[in-house]
Amino acid sequence: MYRSHNCGELRESHINQKVTLSGWVHKTRDKGFVAWVDLRDRYGITQLVFDEDRTSSKLLEQARSLGREFVVQVNGEVIERASKNPNIPTGNIEVLVEEVIVLNESKTPPFTIEDETDGGEDIRMKYRYLDIRRNPVKNSLIFRSKVAMEVRKYLSDEGFIEVETPYLIKSTPEGARDFVVPSRMNEGQFYALPQSPQTFKQLLMVGGLDKYFQIVKCFRDEDLRADRQPEFTQIDCEMAFVEQEDILNAFEGLTKHLLKEIKGVDIESFPRMTFDEAMKRFGNDKPDIRFGMEFGELNEVAQHKDFNVFNSAELVVGIAVPGGNSYTRKEIDKLTDWVKRPQVGALGMVYCRCNDDGSYKSSVDKFYDQEDLAKWAKVTGAKPGDLICVLSGDKNKVRAQLSALRMELAERLGLRNPEEFAPLWVIDFPLLELDEETGHYHAMHHPFTSPKPGQLELLDSDPGAVRANAYDLVLNGNEIGGGSIRIHDKEIQSTMFKHLGFTPDEAKAQFGFLMDAFQYGAPPHGGIAFGLDRLVAILGGQETIRDFIAFPKNNSGRDVMIDAPAPIDSEQLKELSLKLDL
Ligand code: ASP
């Protein structure tokens, strides 16, 4: 038996008991005639004491030979600690060691196994198994497991069944590139790894399973912006005989359950906002509504003066920064530089100080008098002491730019409190999105999303205006879930493919199986998928999803621990009938 107790378990009530513990040597302290070792495992730390007088000098010698991260088993007696440590649960006791067995030695670890480690990101990822021994990573993984359990509990109580769908499949369009796997048995042919189980879950509805969920890996080969992973986990769900309202209610229920169970937060009901409203008020389809700073459109009050920059703009829009009038000129210049960075891309920023005495001072005083500026303040909701920041230009671009500024300022002002949770539904998304580069429309959600009733006709005349039965669940400025009511009619699905630029043959080749299924009594259905990694990170009050993934990849899509991806040998290439052309 390796252990009678774990390292987080012993208390005063165990005093005088003989125990066996196993774990890692966290730290040793040597006072000459007595030495202490902190023994650590997943559950905590227990202090071991080696004492020349009370045990033997041989044991003390042995204690001295134990290096950091050695794996040891000890037998001994629980005794009261002379100087207690109120900071750890086992701090009132220690174990007087009678026998030590070294189960395994360890090289000196490349970084300290402490909450605040001296190891940088790269080295920690290379030795991720050591990183996982640290509390912050360990606790994040435990936290993730708890969230996943609650998801399973809630959904199975609601009658959902968990079904696994295959990984070796054919392309599922979620807007990214596919990862592909060559088939040895079918020369020259490839599987694609699922970007999501989308088509399969729809087929499960045709199969009559009615309520499906799966906690599932999805694979998307995209350039990895800061906080994305090429393989990530979704809580994927689908229901039959539902309308949008049914789905919103079901998954509002799940989200409320998680907020309550995991964070102890009660939220009555989630607000809803149309896509158009979110874009107008926040410049963003995933608005963070924990704070104000809502957009004020200034076209009416700021155009038709002599300021050509505004006159020629499609949209002039501003936000009021609370307390921003205290910014120095230099700070405002820095803010202007911030919005002009290529990542944001604004051409410049106009500002207006709202002085405490009710007067205004703007960077465009030449063109606007006090009365004009008072209108700006009214539209943006600015109060004395605030700063109005105004951007102008192409509507879509300027909204994205001002939204970036709003989020940045909120961050600086400490308005994005990670312990506050503000979920909302964003609904009525456009069905199609224009690709500015190619001039083609593509599905904003995916090609299986149904248009709103009665809008099919618009597809020919004004495709950009068609709204979809599609919805996102947004939490604290992040899209944590998205889904739609699906098309379940073969003809409508064919029309959709046609509008997305598929020839009938291409549509048949890629999605013939789904269209076939729709001929055998497909029920009306719809669903949603949550990004589990992000959801867990937000609930855990962290910004990055990497902390909640046991073995994440870096920004170049590499696993630096196992060193993947890696070349394969020529034999293997031959077997797969592949030749490299590098
Ligand atoms: N398959 C979709 C996605 O991955 C979710 C859904 O429509 O249910 O975003």
Side-chain angles (χ1 to χ4, degrees), residues 174 195-198 201 218 220 232 234 236-238 445-446 449 479 482-484 486 526-529:
E174 297 279 1
Q195 293 185 33
S196 87
Q198 185 61 38
K201 65 175 172 176
C218 301
R220 296 184 190 176
F232 60 95
Q234 281 190 349
D236 192 46
C237 312
E238 196 78 3
H445 188 45
H446 51 54
T449 299
E479 178 205 327
S484 59
R486 326 298 182 187
I528 190 167

Side-chain angles (χ1 to χ4, degrees), residues 504-542:
D505 285 345
E506 284 167 346
K508 191 163 182 337
Q510 223 182 322
F511 302 111
F513 62 95
L514 188 69
M515 316 266 264
D516 283 351
F518 284 177
Q519 297 177 83
Y520 292 96
H525 60 286
I528 190 167
F530 290 79
L532 179 67
D533 310 286
R534 176 96 40 216
L535 176 62
V536 170
I538 298 172
L539 293 176
Q542 303 282 329

Side-chain angles (χ1 to χ4, degrees), residues 299 303 309-310 312-317 347 391-399 401:
N299 289 35
Q303 286 183 327
V309 176
F310 282 1
S312 60
E314 188 185 0
L315 179 67
V316 182
V317 59
L347 292 175
L391 301 182
S392 64
D394 168 76
K395 184 166 84 184
N396 291 336
K397 284 193 186 138
V398 93
R399 279 178 171 170
Q401 293 158 358

